[in-house]
Amino acid sequence: MKPIRHGVATLALLVSAAAHAQANAPVLNIYSARHYQTDEALYQNFTRATGVRVKRVDADDAGILARLRAEGSASPADVILLVDAARLWRAEVDGLFQPLKSPVLERRIPAQLRSKDDGAGSQWFGFSTRARVVVYDKAKVSPADVDSYEKLADPVNKGRLCTRSGSHPYNLSLFGAVTEHLGPQRAEAWLQGLVSNMARPPKGGDTDQIRAVASGECAVAVTNSYYLARLMRSEAPADRHVVERIGVMFPNQATWGTHINIAGGAIARHAKNVSAAKQFLEYLASDEAQGHFANGNNEWPAVTGLAPPNPALQKLGPFKSETIPVSVIGMNQVKVQQMLDRVGYR
Ligand code: FE
């Protein structure tokens, strides 16, 4: 009897010690705009590897920035994850981040996918990329009509084009990049051309535009690559039908390359747990996490030289992407929004 009682007591002690350790484990507070179910595994793997517990707040980019501004120095946020280069840039300009000096991230993340290092480090880092590609109705549209962003404004595409709202971050960033490549005057004429070519007023998300091409409502649309890859990997008959009907074009392969945007992260200005925040951002650049971005959400790894073992991405790529620093996309945002107002692109 005695040894058994002793065993039970020891077990109870161990359980309570474990609970105590769990309660005292360091906690990392993440505000995330990554609206992808599959990210749960990413956080679990980090906790398993480091013992750091993750507490997450999910909101969209704008909601997260508003919340950080409202909370000020009382904010519990340690790490901020956003899904658009221009939003990352905005948050940096508004002083919501703090710089991070990390030789690991400098080595792993290409310079054009992180903010400029002013000596104290970079304020944010891109961890995955997504291309803004064109999909078209194979039965109605010749690939040569849509092989550049410029051609989307050509009269040949009159009545064919569908997009989500012009002021959605994904479009603002594309237009900011086009403004960088063409100059503001030509970019505004181009936006005017897009408006003239609309098959319907802008509405819905990227996947809705792809479906509208497949249903015949539109003939040309613009989408982030991961929405497309998601449909390509789907086994639902409706999705298979959509994928069969559409062609995919990576625009501007003969010129400046297809526009890419990033999902990225930063350490919050008032982070309470800077060392765990740094550890987490470095984890996101690891082979394991980079593979997760590719397989979980069909994004391309930001780290170069990693082949994503993802059949849809392999089928889509490789392609030539633009090489401008993604931060200039943010710098052009105000200009772009004014152009959109002038040409009536809602
Ligand atoms: Fe998205």
Side-chain angles (χ1 to χ4, degrees):
M1 274 311 276
K2 214 174 177 188
I4 292 171
R5 272 221 308 270
H6 179 70
V8 168
T10 307
L11 182 66
L13 264 175
L14 278 175
V15 167
S16 111
H20 187 69
Q22 169 81 5
N24 284 332
V27 173
L28 182 71
N29 284 293
I30 299 178
Y31 286 10
S32 172
R34 291 184 52 85
H35 49 105
Y36 319 116
Q37 276 297 318
T38 49
D39 276 4
E40 204 49 56
L42 196 66
Y43 305 118
Q44 281 168 9
N45 288 346
F46 174 72
T47 299
R48 218 175 352 246
T50 62
V52 176
R53 283 192 300 146
V54 169
K55 272 167 86 177
R56 203 169 84 247
V57 169
D58 290 309
D60 65 7
D61 296 72
I64 287 175
L65 299 194
R67 183 164 175 161
L68 286 172
R69 285 188 197 101
E71 289 174 341
S73 61
S75 175
D78 295 307
V79 163
I80 312 299
L81 299 177
L82 301 177
V83 293
D84 170 61
R87 298 288 187 164
L88 287 159
W89 179 83
R90 183 77 253 166
E92 174 193 354
V93 170
D94 290 354
L96 299 174
F97 298 157
Q98 59 175 283
L100 168 62
K101 198 85 190 157
S102 161
V104 173
L105 293 179
E106 278 165 35
R107 196 172 61 243
R108 299 280 284 175
I109 307 296
Q112 78 267 23
L113 301 183
R114 48 185 155 93
S115 76
K116 214 166 151 232
D117 182 347
D118 55 7
S122 288
Q123 297 252 347
W124 47 265
F125 300 83
F127 291 105
S128 59
T129 67
R130 53 279 296 281
R132 199 128 181 88
V133 302
V134 171
V135 296
Y136 59 94
D137 185 337
K138 283 192 289 192
K140 295 182 196 152
V141 176
S142 151
D145 293 348
V146 291
D147 63 6
S148 72
Y149 294 112
E150 289 93 322
K151 284 190 186 171
L152 300 184
D154 191 284
V156 74
N157 288 313
K158 186 138 197 103
R160 287 175 168 179
L161 183 65
C162 283
T163 74
R164 72 193 306 164
S165 158
S167 35
H168 185 275
Y170 298 157
N171 277 341
L172 283 178
S173 287
L174 167 63
F175 304 158
V178 170
T179 301
E180 195 63 23
H181 294 295
L182 299 183
Q185 252 181 349
R186 284 177 64 202
E188 184 161 343
W190 175 72
L191 287 170
Q192 181 75 69
L194 296 189
V195 172
S196 311
N197 284 348
M198 293 287 178
R200 65 176 188 192
K203 65 171 181 182
D206 283 358
T207 304
D208 299 314
Q209 316 309 317
I210 304 172
R211 293 193 195 286
V213 169
S215 74
E217 190 181 358
C218 324
V220 177
V222 180
T223 178
N224 277 359
S225 45
Y226 57 90
Y227 294 112
L228 186 60
R230 205 179 284 165
L231 287 174
M232 289 166 70
R233 292 175 86 180
S234 166
E235 268 154 30
D239 294 341
R240 301 237 57 84
H241 172 74
V242 166
V243 172
E244 275 159 28
R245 285 222 30 188
I246 59 171
V248 179
M249 175 63 71
F250 282 77
N252 296 72
Q253 292 301 286
T255 58
W256 36 269
T258 297
H259 166 65
I260 55 164
N261 203 336
I262 56 169
I267 302 185
R269 166 85 171 273
H270 301 290
K272 311 293 184 279
N273 195 349
V274 171
S275 71
K278 179 178 183 218
Q279 211 177 356
F280 182 74
L281 293 185
E282 289 179 345
Y283 168 73
L284 293 185
S286 68
D287 285 2
E288 178 184 90
Q290 290 287 300
H292 168 84
F293 289 130
N295 288 312
N297 191 44
N298 303 299
E299 297 170 89
W300 277 281
V303 174
T304 46
L306 297 178
N310 173 329
L313 290 187
Q314 276 167 15
K315 201 167 175 197
L316 284 171
F319 66 98
K320 175 181 168 185
S321 61
E322 65 182 353
T323 53
I324 54 172
V326 291
S327 50
V328 307
I329 293 166
M331 294 177 201
N332 286 338
Q333 295 280 284
V334 172
K335 219 181 288 174
V336 166
Q337 190 59 64
Q338 289 167 346
M339 291 184 208
L340 292 177
D341 292 343
R342 283 195 293 267
V343 304
Y345 193 154
R346 284 187 306 279

